[in-house]
Amino acid sequence: MAGKKDEQVCFRTMIGGQALIEGILMRGPAKEAIVCRTAEGLVEKVEDLKLIKDRYPVLGWPLIRGVATFLDSMARGVKALTYSAGLLPEEEQDEPSKLDRWLEDKLGSEKAQKYIMGLAVFLGLALALFLFIFLPTFLAGLIPGLSGRTELRSLLEGILKLVIFFAYLALCTGMKDVKRLFSYHGAEHKTIFCYEKRLPLTVENVKVQSRFHPRCGTSFLFVVIILGILLGFLIQLDNTLARIALRLLLLPVLVGVAYELNRWIGRHDNAFTRALSAPGKWIQRLTTNEPEDEMIECAIRALELVVPEEKGKDAW
């Protein structure tokens, strides 16, 4: 586990990132940058950041902003992953599916891409809901002798959620491509730590930083799961479908609370917040790997492209 020394930063930045296929996405207060490594060298893509809360200020309110940020980040992440996959050599790219080709024929390539990305976000959310809400609640409902014992049932549902979560991560870590993705994830964390310590952004300075960052998205998802387990003890219903329906209704509240908690932890550094962030950073041992120098170079360049000209404008 990363010690306190690793977190003695000069300031905390709102800049965050995401690992891509042979690349890094960094998002600052005003810009978003993708930097990917190809056979020809680094490919850069920089765009002005247009947040949905700028159009609809209510989506920037506490609790509400957590759900809006999560959905927006997921959509942007899928788009960035699609872009990075398109930079791979043709022989390494997957063949378009029949659905992809049909959509392109009917709608044109640009509209088809939007529909495909929307479908990918929907399927990703559907899979998460199936694995962490429907499946554990359904399996616990099959166990005899739990009628009227809602606290015990909630405990079993929570255990099943954790088993599914860690089994899913273990399955991912065994895949070669995912291992490289997790190494880019480590490069992202190390680079942000280096920047927060106001050290020169060099490969040598970045390499010695911790790859376990308290404001990681992995930690956020884990907090959502833990809060969901705790909330389950308040559900005094035996009917499986009713329990699933109630959990779905309360999910936006869980996401909103988890976002605010993660945000608060990221802004403070004391014994209490370090204890709260410790489980999330432990899980990052599974979702981050030590990066290669070339991966760190991608992360450094992506970060440089989104750092605001006005010093401190990206303070958390």
Side-chain angles (χ1 to χ4, degrees):
M1 186 62 61
K4 182 177 179 181
K5 184 178 179 181
D6 293 325
E7 298 180 14
Q8 289 179 342
V9 297
C10 296
F11 83 114
R12 290 171 175 79
T13 181
M14 67 172 62
I15 295 175
Q18 176 184 326
L20 304 176
I21 300 173
E22 297 302 325
I24 292 282
L25 162 72
M26 286 286 187
R27 186 177 298 124
K31 294 182 179 180
E32 182 177 87
I34 295 174
V35 178
C36 294
R37 183 169 294 281
T38 68
E40 290 75 32
L42 294 183
V43 175
E44 302 175 1
K45 180 182 179 182
V46 184
E47 295 179 338
D48 291 333
L49 193 58
K50 298 178 181 179
L51 300 175
I52 191 170
K53 69 178 182 179
D54 296 332
R55 294 174 56 191
Y56 307 101
V58 67
L59 296 181
W61 293 2
L63 295 180
I64 296 176
R65 63 189 174 189
V67 178
T69 300
F70 174 74
L71 293 175
D72 184 60
S73 297
M74 189 172 183
R76 291 177 182 275
V78 170
K79 182 179 179 181
L81 277 170
T82 303
Y83 173 79
S84 65
L87 296 176
L88 291 172
E90 289 189 10
E91 61 272 14
E92 296 183 26
Q93 295 186 29
D94 295 331
E95 286 291 325
S97 66
K98 292 182 179 180
L99 177 60
D100 293 344
R101 289 194 292 266
W102 183 83
L103 286 173
E104 287 187 7
D105 291 339
K106 296 294 183 181
L107 304 174
S109 59
E110 187 173 342
K111 284 187 176 181
Q113 187 179 32
K114 290 182 180 180
Y115 274 94
I116 292 169
M117 286 189 294
L119 180 62
V121 172
F122 172 79
L123 292 176
L125 287 172
L127 178 61
L129 294 177
F130 174 78
L131 289 177
F132 300 112
I133 291 183
F134 176 82
L135 187 59
T137 307
F138 175 75
L139 292 177
L142 297 178
I143 300 174
L146 293 181
S147 180
R149 306 172 69 183
T150 55
E151 290 82 5
L152 179 57
R153 176 168 178 171
S154 295
L155 176 62
L156 291 174
E157 288 174 359
I159 293 172
L160 286 169
K161 281 185 181 182
L162 292 176
V163 169
I164 292 169
F165 179 68
F166 286 111
Y168 178 79
L169 288 182
L171 181 64
C172 289
T173 56
M175 302 170 64
K176 180 180 177 181
D177 291 342
V178 175
K179 285 183 179 179
R180 285 193 63 81
L181 193 75
F182 286 172
S183 293
Y184 275 103
H185 191 192
E188 173 223 327
H189 285 187
K190 285 172 171 279
T191 303
I192 290 176
F193 257 135
C194 186
Y195 172 67
E196 289 181 322
K197 292 181 180 180
R198 298 199 186 282
L199 297 172
L201 291 175
T202 64
V203 172
E204 291 73 22
N205 285 340
V206 170
K207 284 176 71 173
V208 298
Q209 305 302 321
S210 171
R211 72 178 199 265
F212 312 122
H213 203 287
R215 296 189 298 280
C216 175
T218 305
S219 300
F220 166 74
L221 292 176
F222 185 65
V223 170
V224 171
I225 291 174
I226 295 300
L227 289 177
I229 292 173
L230 295 176
L231 184 64
F233 288 99
L234 301 178
I235 299 177
Q236 302 293 313
L237 298 171
D238 280 323
N239 184 273
T240 296
L241 291 180
R243 291 179 70 88
I244 291 173
L246 187 55
R247 286 186 179 278
L248 289 174
L249 288 173
L250 292 173
L251 185 59
V253 178
L254 283 179
V255 172
V257 172
Y259 177 84
E260 299 301 330
L261 181 60
N262 216 42
R263 185 182 178 92
W264 181 79
I265 290 173
R267 286 188 170 191
H268 299 83
D269 181 18
N270 52 54
F272 181 62
T273 58
R274 286 195 293 274
L276 289 177
S277 64
K281 288 193 289 185
W282 182 85
I283 292 173
Q284 289 175 45
R285 292 181 177 275
L286 300 176
T287 62
T288 65
N289 294 323
E290 288 297 328
E292 301 170 1
D293 289 358
E294 292 183 345
M295 297 174 178
I296 293 175
E297 290 172 358
C298 278
I300 289 174
R301 183 55 184 156
L303 180 59
E304 290 174 339
L305 290 171
V306 301
V307 171
E309 295 181 4
E310 182 181 341
K311 188 176 180 180
K313 191 176 181 181
D314 60 318
W316 180 263

